Amino acid sequence: MRLKSPTFHLRCRPVPSGPVKSALADSSPPARLLATRPCCGPGPDRRPVLGEAPRFHAQAKGKNVRLDGHSRRATRRNSFCNGVTFTQRPIRLYEQVRLRLVAVRPGWSGALRFGFTVHDPSLMSAHDIPRYACPDLVTRPGYWAKALPESLALRDTVLAYWADRHGRVFYSVNDGEPVLFHCGVAVGGPLWALIDVYGITDEVQLLGTLQSSPATTSPSGSLSGSQEDSDSDMAFSVNQSSSASESSLVTAPSSPLSPPVSPAFSPPEPAGSKNSECTVCFDGDVDTVIYTCGHMCLCHTCGLRLKRQARACCPICRRPIKDVIKIYRP
């Protein structure tokens, strides 16, 4: 007996007259979700993500620096130097670099040095990082750093510093009034923070950054308070805030500053006074007069280094250095 195969009838639905939509197209994700994502973080040609908290650079550091697992704490082991560090990303204008002094050890001379550089730490080799930020780095083009006064280098002190669009650097301690630190920083390109864990400062911690308002970046007494600050305001702020014991600027500022009223030679400081310490290295005794301004604020070694620099100027009045003269005390 032969069985009949069942017959199946297929009914076709009429195709609508209009553009046909593909079901596959409907189920595909939006194009923006298909964009390629980097797997290893930003490359050399990518800008850092806004809001990313800065960390210490893992490779560009002095030989005595040890970092924690998050690269937020830098501890100096052994000696008092070889503690130079940098941030892993550039710092934006008016962005505050905030540091906590975690450990301070009395017995050494000098304290934390800090500032900025235009040089990318990722391109530095071990030979590029010297023992000291001052004077080794600041006598090179593109580095600006100075020392925090020892009286402010206390345990758990929170230091914040930032640069404005005029190339001025301000700092504040424990959210106090901003103080003009130095000026003449090149702000036409990226700036990385430079931090030297030096002297009595044994350990520092990078905190989250804050964005400063341009209206609040002028020290007390300055007439400037907006982004349209004039050069005369800058000169006024420098005269109010700078001193021989705190200044160590070694390159000429980008904007002209008012020269001192009297270029008379400064008398030698009494032995043992605070101003008898070189304002660049904070180590040698002051024994050199700068010609032509007459300021006496350097040791002879730093004076000779400054004299060899292009556009070198006095750390106090910023006038050009024509010569340095060693003096001899009786």
Side-chain angles (χ1 to χ4, degrees):
M1 185 176 179
R2 180 177 299 176
L3 297 176
K4 275 186 158 187
S5 300
T7 304
F8 295 96
H9 299 278
L10 299 177
R11 298 181 61 187
C12 298
R13 299 177 63 182
V15 178
S17 60
V20 180
K21 268 191 170 184
S22 168
L24 179 61
D26 290 342
S27 62
S28 61
R32 62 184 179 86
L33 298 181
L34 299 178
T36 304
R37 293 186 175 93
C39 62
C40 300
D45 296 328
R46 290 172 58 91
R47 291 185 179 181
V49 180
L50 293 179
E52 178 190 4
R55 301 186 304 274
F56 290 107
H57 198 284
Q59 284 77 42
K61 56 186 178 65
K63 67 178 184 180
N64 287 340
V65 174
R66 303 292 181 268
L67 303 180
D68 69 348
H70 302 286
S71 295
R72 295 285 167 79
R73 288 193 181 216
T75 306
R76 190 191 74 250
R77 304 291 187 189
N78 306 322
S79 187
F80 61 94
C81 57
N82 284 305
V84 175
T85 62
F86 303 90
T87 53
Q88 100 289 2
R89 69 159 175 87
I91 304 298
R92 299 181 296 274
L93 295 182
Y94 299 101
E95 180 184 7
Q96 293 186 14
V97 181
R98 295 173 61 83
L99 295 166
R100 174 179 285 114
L101 277 60
V102 178
V104 175
R105 180 175 58 175
W108 298 114
S109 177
L112 183 79
R113 276 87 161 116
F114 59 97
F116 291 101
T117 180
V118 298
H119 300 286
D120 186 349
S122 300
L123 305 178
M124 297 179 186
S125 67
H127 301 290
D128 295 326
I129 303 176
R131 300 176 65 191
Y132 313 102
C134 303
D136 295 345
L137 279 181
V138 296
T139 53
R140 303 177 186 177
Y143 293 92
W144 300 269
K146 288 168 56 175
L148 181 70
E150 284 190 50
S151 59
L152 301 178
L154 306 176
R155 183 178 177 182
D156 292 328
T157 290
V158 175
L159 169 72
Y161 73 98
W162 61 96
D164 71 4
R165 70 187 190 95
H166 294 294
R168 300 177 294 185
V169 177
F170 298 86
Y171 79 90
S172 68
V173 173
N174 296 328
D175 297 320
E177 287 292 321
V179 176
L180 181 63
F181 200 39
H182 55 73
C183 53
V185 174
V187 294
L191 288 174
W192 285 263
L194 186 168
I195 301 158
D196 186 1
V197 188
Y198 177 84
I200 64 173
T201 309
D202 266 359
E203 182 178 339
V204 296
Q205 177 186 7
L206 271 172
L207 307 175
T209 58
L210 296 176
Q211 194 71 16
S212 297
S213 168
T216 62
T217 56
S218 297
S220 300
S222 171
L223 301 177
S224 58
S226 69
Q227 286 195 347
E228 301 303 322
D229 298 336
S230 65
D231 290 333
S232 61
D233 292 333
M234 189 193 308
F236 182 82
S237 299
V238 170
N239 292 336
Q240 292 283 54
S241 305
S242 298
S243 69
S245 61
E246 295 182 358
S247 178
S248 63
L249 181 67
V250 297
T251 54
S254 55
S255 301
L257 298 175
S258 302
V261 176
S262 173
F265 283 77
S266 303
E269 296 290 340
S273 71
K274 184 173 179 60
N275 288 344
S276 65
E277 189 179 70
C278 174
T279 59
V280 173
C281 67
F282 296 92
D283 185 35
D285 293 331
V286 171
D287 61 359
T288 299
V289 173
I290 299 174
Y291 177 75
T292 59
C293 68
H295 281 118
M296 183 175 167
C297 57
L298 304 170
C299 66
H300 193 58
T301 300
C302 292
L304 293 176
R305 287 184 179 179
L306 280 181
K307 182 182 174 182
R308 291 193 294 265
Q309 294 295 315
R311 298 177 67 238
C313 60
C314 172
I316 297 177
C317 67
R318 279 69 171 174
R319 294 183 69 183
I321 296 177
K322 293 187 177 180
D323 201 359
V324 292
I325 304 168
K326 183 176 176 64
I327 65 169
Y328 297 91
R329 302 179 186 271

